[in-house]
Amino acid sequence: MDDSCAVCADTLEWVAYGPCGHREVCSTCIVRLRFICDDYRCCLCKSELKTIFITKALGDYTKVINDFSAFPVDPIEGQVSSYWYHEGTQAYFDDLDHYKMIKAMCRLSCTVCDKKDEQRNGGSKKRAEFKNIEQLKSHLFNRHRLLNCSLCLEGRKVFMCEQKLYTREQLDKHIKTGDSVVDGTESERGGFTGHPMCEFCQNPFYGENELYLHMSTEHFTCHICQRRHPGQYEYYRNYDDMEIHFSREHHLCEDEACRAKKFVVFATQSELKKNKIL
C-alpha cells in the first residue's frame, strides 16, 4: 500500500502534506477535505495544518519541505517565487499543471459548457466561473434543463464538478429508488437505493443518519419499548399518537394533571398504582 493513498486507496501520484510530514494521502483527498469539508487536519495524526505542500509522489525521492515557515506569511493566489499558491486550500504547488487542475476542480463552473468548450478548442479548458452555487444551478436549469439533487449538494462531500446532473424525471427516480441512468448500475451505485423518506412528513433525507436525526427530534419514540427492545425504534407522528400507544400497550396514568404533564406512563400496573398513591 506504499504507493496508494491512505484515504481513497487510488495510486498515489500527487501527494499533499504539511509540517507533520505525513506523505501518505493524495492531493485530491486532502484538497477535498480542506475545500469542501473545511477540515484542515492531517488525515493521520490529526494535527492542524495551516499550510500544505503538494508535489509529485516519487517514493523516497518525493520532494521534502522541512521548514514550512519559509513560505510567505500572507501569499496571494498564483505564482509565489518558484511555487504556485492556491488560496482556497492554502496549498503550495511545485507543478503548474497540477495547480491549474486543482484550481479548476475547486471552481464553480458548468461541466456541460466545459465539455463543449474543450471539444471546440481542441482540448484546452476555459471554464467560466459562477459567483455562487445558486447562480450555477440557475444556469444549469435555464440553459441545459438539468438539475442537481439538493440533498446530495448538502450531504455528498465532493467537488461541484463531481456532483451529478439530472433531468427532472431522472431526479425523481434518483430520490425515490436510485435507479436512474445517471446513478448507474446497482454495483456502481454502491448500494444506494434512493434517499430515505420520513413516513410521516414524506420528506427525503440524504442518508440514514440525517433521517434518524429528524425522527429523533421531530417525532416520538416510546421509552418503555426502547428499554424492552434495545436498538428497535418504533416512531409515532406526534404525542397524541404515542399516547394512544401508551394506553394500549402500557399503563398510562389517566389523572388530568398527569395527562397534562405528558409521558406519565408505566411498564407495570404496580408502578401505576404507586404513582397514584404518591
Side-chain angles (χ1 to χ4, degrees):
M1 295 296 290
D2 289 345
D3 60 347
S4 299
C5 172
V7 174
C8 68
D10 285 346
T11 301
L12 194 61
E13 295 182 6
W14 296 91
V15 65
Y17 63 92
C20 62
H22 292 118
R23 297 185 289 274
E24 290 81 17
V25 182
C26 72
S27 59
T28 302
C29 285
I30 292 290
V31 167
R32 184 183 289 112
L33 281 171
R34 295 169 77 87
F35 190 76
I36 305 296
C37 304
D38 200 30
D39 186 347
Y40 281 66
R41 298 173 299 168
C42 170
C43 295
L44 276 68
C45 68
K46 304 304 178 184
S47 59
E48 196 78 11
L49 305 178
K50 181 181 178 182
T51 303
I52 59 171
F53 179 68
I54 297 176
T55 187
K56 189 76 172 177
L58 299 172
D60 293 337
Y61 299 98
T62 300
K63 186 172 183 177
V64 176
I65 300 293
N66 292 313
D67 184 11
F68 275 73
S69 65
F71 287 123
V73 177
D74 295 309
I76 58 174
E77 181 75 37
Q79 187 167 7
V80 177
S81 186
S82 59
Y83 301 110
W84 288 267
Y85 179 74
H86 184 236
E87 189 174 0
T89 54
Q90 297 182 30
Y92 285 93
F93 298 74
D94 63 357
D95 184 89
L96 176 58
D97 289 336
H98 195 59
Y99 160 73
K100 288 181 177 179
M101 189 198 80
I102 293 295
K103 185 178 179 180
M105 291 178 70
C106 296
R107 184 182 289 123
L108 285 177
S109 64
C110 172
T111 54
V112 180
C113 291
D114 290 345
K115 288 179 181 178
K116 290 181 180 179
D117 290 343
E118 188 175 346
Q119 291 171 354
R120 282 197 298 262
N121 299 323
S124 63
K125 302 176 182 179
K126 294 179 65 176
R127 291 185 167 107
E129 188 169 2
F130 294 86
K131 294 180 179 179
N132 51 57
I133 291 179
E134 291 306 316
Q135 190 180 73
L136 174 56
K137 287 166 63 178
S138 177
H139 164 83
L140 285 166
F141 182 72
N142 293 326
R143 178 70 64 87
H144 307 294
R145 285 296 182 266
L146 292 173
L147 301 158
N148 289 115
C149 172
S150 59
L151 297 171
C152 289
L153 285 180
E154 180 67 26
R156 188 167 174 250
K157 302 304 182 182
V158 297
F159 295 108
M160 195 64 190
C161 60
E162 296 175 314
Q163 293 285 359
K164 297 179 180 180
L165 297 173
Y166 304 89
T167 63
R168 179 71 68 183
E169 182 181 5
Q170 288 172 341
L171 181 58
D172 290 340
K173 288 183 178 180
H174 162 77
I175 293 174
K176 293 175 182 177
T177 61
D179 65 351
S180 76
V181 174
V182 177
D183 288 318
T185 64
E186 186 175 346
S187 60
E188 289 172 338
R189 295 199 302 272
F192 177 74
T193 57
H195 293 293
M197 186 90 63
C198 171
E199 60 182 295
F200 304 121
C201 305
Q202 294 301 303
N203 289 330
F205 292 84
Y206 177 69
E208 295 297 336
N209 290 338
E210 290 76 11
L211 176 61
Y212 173 76
L213 180 61
H214 166 79
M215 299 300 285
S216 301
T217 56
E218 300 299 325
H219 301 294
F220 294 84
T221 57
C222 173
H223 58 283
I224 296 176
C225 289
Q226 282 189 5
R227 285 201 297 268
R228 288 179 176 174
H229 309 286
Q232 295 183 18
Y233 293 90
E234 182 77 26
Y235 290 98
Y236 301 90
R237 182 189 301 272
N238 49 41
Y239 182 78
D240 290 341
D241 286 353
M242 194 166 69
E243 192 174 66
I244 294 173
H245 165 78
F246 287 157
S247 299
R248 290 175 177 174
E249 304 296 331
H250 306 299
H251 301 276
L252 178 70
C253 182
E254 300 290 348
D255 180 79
E256 187 175 338
C258 288
R259 292 286 292 273
K261 287 181 183 178
K262 299 182 179 180
F263 294 98
V264 185
V265 60
F266 303 91
T268 65
Q269 186 69 35
S270 60
E271 289 176 340
L272 175 59
K273 289 181 178 179
K274 187 183 295 185
N275 175 70
K276 289 183 177 179
I277 293 172
L278 296 175

